[in-house]
Structures are given as C-alpha cells and as structure tokens.
Amino acid sequence: EPEVTQTPSHQVTQMGQEVILRCVPISNHLYFYWYRQILGQKVEFLVSFYNNEISEKSEIFDDQFSVERPDGSNFTLKIRSTKLEDSAMYFCASTQGDQPQHFGDGTRLSIL
Amino acid sequence: AQRVTQPEKLLSVFKGAPVELKCNYSYSGSPELFWYVQYSRQRLQLLLRHISRESIKGFTADLNKGETSFHLKKPFAQEEDSAMYYCALRPGNTPLVFGKGTRLSVIA
C-alpha cells in the first residue's frame, strides 16, 4: 500500500536556525497538509496545499513558516528562524480530496 | 467553532472487557467524523469513518447527531488494542480538527 514518507525522523536544531522538513505524499494525491503535535497536546492543523498554493492556514502558521512543492513529488515545510516552542512532532498528510487523509510517520523537531 | 472533545486522557481496561472511547463534537453543519489510531512509535492510521459504517478490528462507532457524539466501541478488548485514539472532525472539505486523544491501555 502506498505511504506518505517523511524525512528526517528526528531533527535537532539550534534556536534561531532555519529548518526544512520534507514529505513525499502519495503519488496520485492532490491535497497536502502539515499538522503538528506538541508533546502531550493534541494534533493541530498548520496548513493545507492544493494546486500549488496554500488553500488554508491556521493561526499557528505565521510568517516564520512556509511550504513548497519544489518538484513533482516533495512537499516541504520550512521554519525560518526556529523558536523553542516549535519543538513538536510534525506530520504530513495527503489525500485525493474526498477520501480520508493518509499520514506520514512524522518528524520529531527538537529546538535547543 | 468546530471542536472535538475526548474527555478521557487515559482509559485502562482488562483484556476481554468492553471498551468505549468517548468523543463529542461541536459543529453546526453535517460533519464527517473519523477515528484515527496511533500505535506505539507508529504513524496515525485511519481506523473508522462514520460514512463507511464498517467494523475494523472489532471496533464500531455510531454517529449520534442528537447527542453530537461519535463514541468508539469494542465488545472485548485485546492487548494489541493498546494505543492512542484520536477522534477527528472534518467540517466540509477542510482540514481535520482533532480531539486531544485518549490513551487506551489494555491490561492482561
């Protein structure tokens, strides 16, 4: 069964540094999402992406965040200048549209 | 505002006992509801969606619009059911809104 893949599985970064989290959605999917889960808290929506542009974003997704689909397969989340409170699990998800979202394994981001 | 409430952070049951994981939602329209499961060190996986009305791994969930609930049930818990369970709402064709999750621990 096709899967959403995310790399790296764990990223450790100094505060203030830029970080890029990578995702390869399922190949025939059209809608892509990033969610995050701070330790001990619920999964929260960050941003959705369709047709090469952001379709929706939450309050969390401020100017420090950006997303890109640089080629036909990757979908990246960039945090420009990381803060301690960005430490979380970041999940990528994709769907064809009306179908349930498929999630990747997540990237654990630790900001020091 | 759309909201999903899972009142129990942790639920411990003995093997073979019935399980009910509670989920209530707040949404004025016609919601689409899901249960996702996350086994230890694994990804979020879809367990059930209300429109398919199927039973997966012995789990069922019925949408009760009057009580705005979508509780997850299983008549006889197994040890391998131990995991985090998340109820999620999709209001229209939009991103998922998750509950805080319930950790189910099945004791042998």
Side-chain angles (χ1 to χ4, degrees):
Chain A
E1 189 179 321
E3 290 182 344
V4 175
T5 56
Q6 289 185 242
T7 54
S9 56
H10 191 190
Q11 174 82 43
V12 182
T13 302
Q14 292 285 337
M15 187 170 62
Q17 295 296 305
E18 176 184 283
V19 67
I20 297 176
L21 309 182
R22 301 180 195 281
C23 169
V24 179
I26 294 172
S27 62
N28 62 345
H29 285 186
L30 302 175
Y31 297 81
F32 315 117
Y33 305 85
W34 282 102
Y35 293 84
R36 82 167 182 197
Q37 186 178 28
I38 294 171
L39 187 64
Q41 298 185 26
K42 66 178 178 179
V43 179
E44 299 173 290
F45 166 70
L46 288 177
V47 65
S48 58
F49 194 86
Y50 171 71
N51 202 24
N52 284 322
E53 60 183 23
I54 291 173
S55 47
E56 192 169 343
K57 58 183 181 179
S58 71
E59 291 171 355
I60 303 167
F61 194 87
D62 61 23
D63 292 344
Q64 292 299 314
F65 291 88
S66 61
V67 288
E68 239 188 357
R69 191 151 159 82
D71 51 45
S73 58
N74 288 285
F75 178 50
T76 61
L77 174 69
K78 186 195 302 189
I79 308 175
R80 211 177 334 271
S81 176
T82 49
K83 304 187 283 286
L84 291 175
E85 52 265 38
D86 294 327
S87 296
M89 281 289 290
Y90 287 81
F91 293 103
C92 175
S94 70
T95 177
Q96 285 180 314
D98 224 17
Q99 298 303 310
Q101 294 171 23
H102 292 254
F103 285 82
D105 282 332
T107 294
R108 180 173 298 284
L109 178 62
S110 300
I111 307 300
L112 304 178
Chain B
Q2 302 113 15
R3 189 165 57 240
V4 175
T5 304
Q6 293 180 250
E8 302 136 331
K9 274 181 96 165
L10 173 65
L11 183 65
S12 296
V13 301
F14 286 103
K15 179 181 167 183
V19 173
E20 183 179 51
L21 300 170
K22 292 186 169 37
C23 172
N24 288 88
Y25 67 90
S26 171
Y27 177 58
S28 56
S30 263
E32 193 173 1
L33 283 144
F34 304 84
W35 276 100
Y36 280 83
V37 60
Q38 189 175 32
Y39 300 103
S40 180
R41 301 181 195 281
Q42 295 187 29
R43 68 185 61 202
L44 282 162
Q45 301 173 37
L46 178 68
L47 184 62
L48 285 177
R49 60 190 300 202
H50 86 272
I51 61 173
S52 62
R53 299 188 64 80
E54 38 183 2
S55 171
I56 306 291
K57 300 185 182 185
F59 284 97
T60 58
D62 288 317
L63 177 61
N64 185 325
K65 290 187 178 179
E67 294 181 0
T68 59
S69 68
F70 188 56
H71 303 326
L72 183 68
K73 298 177 185 178
K74 183 169 182 176
F76 308 105
Q78 306 295 316
E79 286 179 76
E80 55 266 28
D81 295 330
S82 295
M84 280 293 293
Y85 290 81
Y86 294 95
C87 184
L89 163 73
R90 186 163 71 178
N93 189 20
T94 59
L96 293 167
V97 176
F98 285 89
K100 290 188 176 182
T102 298
R103 180 171 298 283
L104 175 65
S105 176
V106 181
I107 306 161

